[in-house]
């Protein structure tokens, strides 16, 4: 076993290994959650972790993440059996070259959230989640003008989930190098 395993297994779940990259500023964290469209939610079933990409919205006055998805499937089953989840959002920056291969890197910002997920059953909560998602992703369209508003019968077609945030932590890594560059896949 690695000599650091025991040391890091005792750290709090929202503690960041590199203190200099840790961000505890709540406004910074909320800003990243607000502008990032996709997150990865990690759920567990029978000692197996599952990572699932989701589109999401952070609702500040509820201090919660809302997302929608199927009413059946692995993520739903995992949440039913164990509502404890973690969520990660990530914004990639520029690639950072160096003279030594071991020092090459990547600028980035990320937030990791720990909390409890559950499917919303109250119509008010479901509408709150769906309307917040519409506002985040389709803010340029107006309900009742550009599309028909969400109807009660629409609510049976999708599950709306809420993650009550227990803890969060932010990380940012930014290099001062002037030769940084944007990632471009080879051949594209």
């Amino acid at each position: 076993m690695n000599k650091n395993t025991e040391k890091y297994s005792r750290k709090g779940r929202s503690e960041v290994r590199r203190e200099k990259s840790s961000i505890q500023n709540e406004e910074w964290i909320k800003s990243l959650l607000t502008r990032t469209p996709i997150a990865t939610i990690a759920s567990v079933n029978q000692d197996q972790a599952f990572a699932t990409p989701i589109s999401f919205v952070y609702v500040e006055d509820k201090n919660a993440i809302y997302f929608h998805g199927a009413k059946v499937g692995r993520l739903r089953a995992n949440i039913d059996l164990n509502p404890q989840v973690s969520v990660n959002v990530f914004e990639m920056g520029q690639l950072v070259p160096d003279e030594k291969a071991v020092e090459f890197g990547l600028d980035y910002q990320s937030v990791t959230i720990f909390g409890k997920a559950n499917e919303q059953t109250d119509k008010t909560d479901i509408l709150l989640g769906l309307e917040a998602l519409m506002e985040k992703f389709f803010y340029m369209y107006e309900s009742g003008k550009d599309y028909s508003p969400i109807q009660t019968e629409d609510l049976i077609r999708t599950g709306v989930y809420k993650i009550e945030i227990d803890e969060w932590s932010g990380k940012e890594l930014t290099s001062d190098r002037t030769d940084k560059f944007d990632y471009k896949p080879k051949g594209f």
Side-chain angles (χ1 to χ4, degrees), residues 10-16 84-85 112 114-115 166-167 169:
R10 285 193 233 137
K11 281 186 162 272
R13 62 185 179 177
S14 63
E15 286 184 60
V16 176
Q84 295 294 332
V85 297
T112 301
F114 299 94
D166 294 331
E167 292 180 59
S169 63

Side-chain angles (χ1 to χ4, degrees), residues 26-181:
E26 287 198 4
E27 294 310 312
W28 184 96
I29 290 171
K30 291 174 185 178
S31 175
L32 187 64
L33 291 175
T34 300
R35 69 178 185 265
T36 307
I38 304 296
T40 303
I41 182 172
S43 60
V44 176
N45 184 351
Q46 299 178 15
D47 297 328
Q48 177 61 58
F50 294 89
T52 307
I54 57 170
S55 55
F56 76 98
V57 63
Y58 170 66
V59 178
E60 186 171 356
D61 65 329
K62 299 284 188 181
N63 195 39
I65 298 290
Y66 285 82
F67 67 97
H68 75 90
K71 286 180 157 286
V72 297
R74 182 173 307 277
L75 182 57
R76 165 65 191 267
N78 291 357
I79 289 170
D80 283 351
L81 294 169
N82 181 356
Q84 295 294 332
V85 297
S86 65
V87 175
N88 181 265
V89 299
F90 178 88
E91 203 171 69
M92 181 176 166
Q94 293 186 298
L95 297 173
V96 182
D98 202 283
E99 290 76 33
K100 296 168 79 177
V102 72
E103 297 296 329
F104 275 61
L106 167 71
D107 287 349
Y108 68 89
Q109 297 179 332
S110 70
V111 171
T112 301
I113 293 169
F114 299 94
K116 267 192 186 120
N118 57 68
E119 183 179 11
Q120 298 301 282
T121 56
D122 179 75
K123 181 180 174 182
T124 304
D125 293 332
I126 294 168
L127 286 172
L128 183 145
L130 289 174
E131 289 170 355
L133 284 162
M134 292 295 290
E135 178 61 27
K136 179 175 182 175
F137 291 97
F138 300 100
Y139 59 87
M140 68 292 291
Y141 295 98
E142 187 178 334
S143 177
K145 179 180 175 191
D146 299 313
Y147 64 91
S148 63
I150 299 166
Q151 303 297 313
T152 302
E153 58 269 15
D154 297 334
L155 304 182
I156 61 170
R157 294 184 51 198
T158 188
V160 174
Y161 301 86
K162 176 182 175 183
I163 300 167
E164 297 172 17
I165 298 171
D166 294 331
E167 292 180 59
W168 58 21
S169 63
K171 283 177 68 174
E172 179 174 41
L173 190 59
T174 305
S175 167
D176 294 333
R177 291 187 63 110
T178 59
D179 55 349
K180 299 188 288 188
F181 59 94

